[in-house]
Each structure stands twice: as structure tokens, then as C-alpha cells.
């Protein structure tokens, strides 16, 4: 898989891909992540990528020309399955969406800034708009990192234990059950007996029941 992230702040996005599961997936060649500096596609002397909003009002708008130049240059090299724009008015990211995106070959993620991008960018180039939650960020970079993280960890081979992703929250519309590690007794507070029993079927049953219980309590909407 290849993820091309278009941003005015490539440095902001370096660290998320330099650690843990994401780094390992990149090192193993399971995914290639390219941070593309939008300013490289600006034809202005000052490399500007934004301008005043038509009709006035506070806040700058990201111009269409550098974004068009950048996306067209990428598209000339390969086909893309999705050209994503991070936006608070997009479709809410969830595990189902991440599962689907993780099966794609090439995607572009465009990070917005200021008041967002000129609407014509969205009309002409964007195939999918994703929000990571009902709040407003200063830029699309952290959203792009969240989207990429949730996708990359699902690529087979990215996690050392492949079954781990399948037992995470939201797969099967259930939240994950509680987890424990040593010591079995912390100041008299004990780990549930069944987890120490070594009885796989009973443990699986307990975990399933705890998952259902937790989902009913915290996210009954998932069970509908
Ligand atoms: N004026 C816009 C918000 C701009 S915030 C509005 O009210 O909808 C600047 C940029 O941050 C956006 O263009 C988008 O790329 C990114 N962003 C902000 N909040 C986001 C969210 N919840 N999910 C994904 N991207 C977001």
C-alpha cells in the first residue's frame, strides 16, 4: 500500500511514522508513506498556497492551483483508489472505514489549513472526505496521522500478533474486554480467577461476556 500525504507541514507528520507498529510496517515494506510538501507545487515567488476568501471574512483559503498541480503530478505516476480530504464536515472515521481503506493500493490524503480548501478542489479532485470527530483542529495533519495509523495497523503483517487487531474494540461492533497483567494480586485486588485458569474456552467466554457488558454500558448504539 502507498499513502501520499499532501501537507504544508511535512515535519509535523514525520514523528508519527517513526515509531512502533507504523515504523515496523514501513520497514517491512508493507506500506510506503510519502510526505509531500504542497509548497513545492506553488508557482508563487513566496511559495504561498493560500489567499483571501472571496466575499470577505476572517481566515485564508487554500488555493486550487498548487493542489491541482500536486494531485495531477501524482496521478500522472499511478492510479489512486481514493483521494481523501480531511474535513470536520466529512464522513466520521470508524473501524469499518479503516478496514476498507486498509485493503486499497494507493491513496492520497490532503490536509487542509486555515478556513479549508477552495470548494473547487473538493468538487474536482476529492473522492472521499473524512472527519475524525466533531471538533475542529488547526490543520488536517493530525487527522491524516490518525487515519493512517488506523489503516496501517490493519495491514496483514503490521502487528507482531496478527490476531490482535481482530480482538480490538469495534471489530464485530463490540468494545474490547478488560485486560490484566502481572501481578495477579495488587494490594489485595485480584485478577479475575478465570484468566488464571488456563481454560481457553472459559476465558474466551468470559472475554465475550465482558465485551458485551461493556458495550451495553458504554456504547449501546453499537449493538443496534
Ligand atoms: N473552517 C473549517 C475548519 C477548518 S480547520 C470548518 O469550519 O469546517 C482547518 C483544517 O483542519 C481543515 O481544512 C481540515 O483539513 C482539518 N480539520 C479540522 N478539523 C478536522 C476534523 N475534525 N477531522 C478532520 N480534519 C479536520
Amino acid at each position: 500500500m502507498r499513502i501520499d500525504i499532501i501537507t504544508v507541514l511535512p515535519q509535523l507528520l514525520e514523528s508519527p511514522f517513526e515509531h512502533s507498529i507504523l515504523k515496523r510496517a514501513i520497514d517491512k515494506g508493507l506500506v510506503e508513506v510519502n510526505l509531500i510538501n504542497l509548497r513545492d507545487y506553488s508557482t508563487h515567488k513566496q511559495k504561498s498556497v493560500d489567499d483571501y476568501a472571496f466575499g470577505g471574512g476572517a481566515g485564508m483559503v487554500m488555493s486550487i492551483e498548487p493542489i491541482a498541480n500536486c494531485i495531477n503530478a501524482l496521478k500522472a505516476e499511478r492510479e489512486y483508489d481514493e483521494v481523501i480530504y480531511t474535513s470536520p464536515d466529512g464522513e466520521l472515521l470508524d473501524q469499518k472505514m479503516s478496514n476498507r481503506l486498509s485493503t486499497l493500493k494507493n491513496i492520497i490524503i490532503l490536509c487542509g489549513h486555515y478556513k479549508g480548501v477552495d470548494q473547487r478542489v473538493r468538487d474536482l479532485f476529492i473522492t472521499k472526505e473524512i472527519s475524525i470527530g466533531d471538533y475542529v483542529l488547526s490543520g488536517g495533519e493530525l487527522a491524516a496521522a490518525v487515519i493512517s495509523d488506523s489503516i496501517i495497523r490493519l495491514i496483514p503483517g503490521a502487528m507482531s500478533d496478527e490476531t490482535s487487531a481482530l480482538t480490538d474494540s469495534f471489530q464485530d461492533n463490540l468494545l474490547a474486554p478488560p485486560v490484566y497483567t502481572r501481578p495477579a494480586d495488587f494490594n489485595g485486588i485480584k485478577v479475575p480467577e478465570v484468566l488464571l485458569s488456563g481454560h481457553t474456552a472459559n476465558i474466551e467466554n468470559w472475554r465475550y461476556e465482558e465485551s458485551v457488558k461493556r458495550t451495553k454500558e458504554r456504547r449501546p448504539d453499537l449493538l443496534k
Side-chain angles (χ1 to χ4, degrees):
M1 179 179 204
R2 177 185 172 114
I3 305 177
D4 290 337
I5 304 178
I6 303 172
T7 166
V8 287
L9 293 171
Q11 277 151 324
L12 180 59
L13 270 169
E14 279 168 13
S15 175
F17 298 102
E18 287 172 352
H19 309 274
S20 183
I21 295 174
L22 304 201
K23 178 185 190 313
R24 217 177 315 131
I26 292 167
D27 289 347
K28 280 188 184 171
L30 301 173
V31 62
E32 183 184 331
V33 179
N34 298 298
L35 305 177
I36 297 159
N37 192 338
L38 183 62
R39 289 189 200 282
D40 294 344
Y41 293 85
S42 168
T43 49
H44 288 104
K45 247 202 226 123
Q46 281 82 27
K47 297 282 166 210
S48 72
V49 293
D50 60 328
D51 211 330
Y52 295 99
F54 277 127
M60 303 296 277
V61 175
M62 288 176 78
S63 318
I64 189 166
E65 292 106 328
I67 297 173
N69 292 342
C70 181
I71 292 178
N72 285 331
L74 291 171
K75 280 185 165 174
E77 297 293 321
R78 67 196 66 77
E79 280 194 19
Y80 286 90
D81 302 299
E82 293 282 14
V83 181
I84 296 166
Y85 175 52
T86 56
S87 187
D89 60 8
E91 196 184 336
L92 265 184
L93 180 69
D94 64 10
Q95 193 64 23
K96 204 169 126 215
M97 197 193 292
S98 299
N99 283 338
R100 190 184 78 77
L101 293 174
S102 75
T103 64
L104 302 181
K105 195 157 175 275
N106 299 319
I107 63 172
I108 290 174
I109 306 179
L110 171 65
C111 304
H113 262 274
Y114 322 113
K115 290 304 274 179
V117 298
D118 186 307
Q119 179 59 37
R120 291 166 293 181
V121 169
R122 301 169 73 165
D123 297 340
L124 287 174
F125 296 104
I126 301 302
T127 61
K128 194 170 184 63
E129 302 187 329
I130 302 179
S131 165
I132 64 161
D134 288 347
Y135 40 80
V136 177
L137 303 165
S138 334
E141 283 73 19
L142 297 179
V146 167
I147 296 164
S148 303
D149 185 318
S150 75
I151 296 172
I152 294 171
R153 62 198 299 284
L154 294 170
I155 300 173
M159 291 211 245
S160 42
D161 178 359
E162 299 217 348
T163 57
S164 186
L166 300 176
T167 58
D168 283 332
S169 288
F170 304 114
Q171 302 287 359
D172 301 330
N173 281 330
L174 288 176
L175 300 180
V179 292
Y180 298 88
T181 186
R182 283 183 291 191
D185 183 332
F186 175 73
N187 297 343
I189 308 167
K190 296 204 175 95
V191 165
E193 208 49 56
V194 60
L195 295 179
L196 311 175
S197 68
H199 194 299
T200 318
N202 286 355
I203 293 172
E204 266 174 31
N205 254 334
W206 180 86
R207 286 188 171 147
Y208 178 73
E209 277 163 20
E210 289 295 319
S211 275
V212 174
K213 193 171 124 198
R214 188 162 275 200
T215 311
K216 269 187 192 152
E217 278 166 13
R218 299 183 181 202
R219 292 294 305 275
D221 56 297
L222 293 176
L223 295 171
K224 277 183 205 132

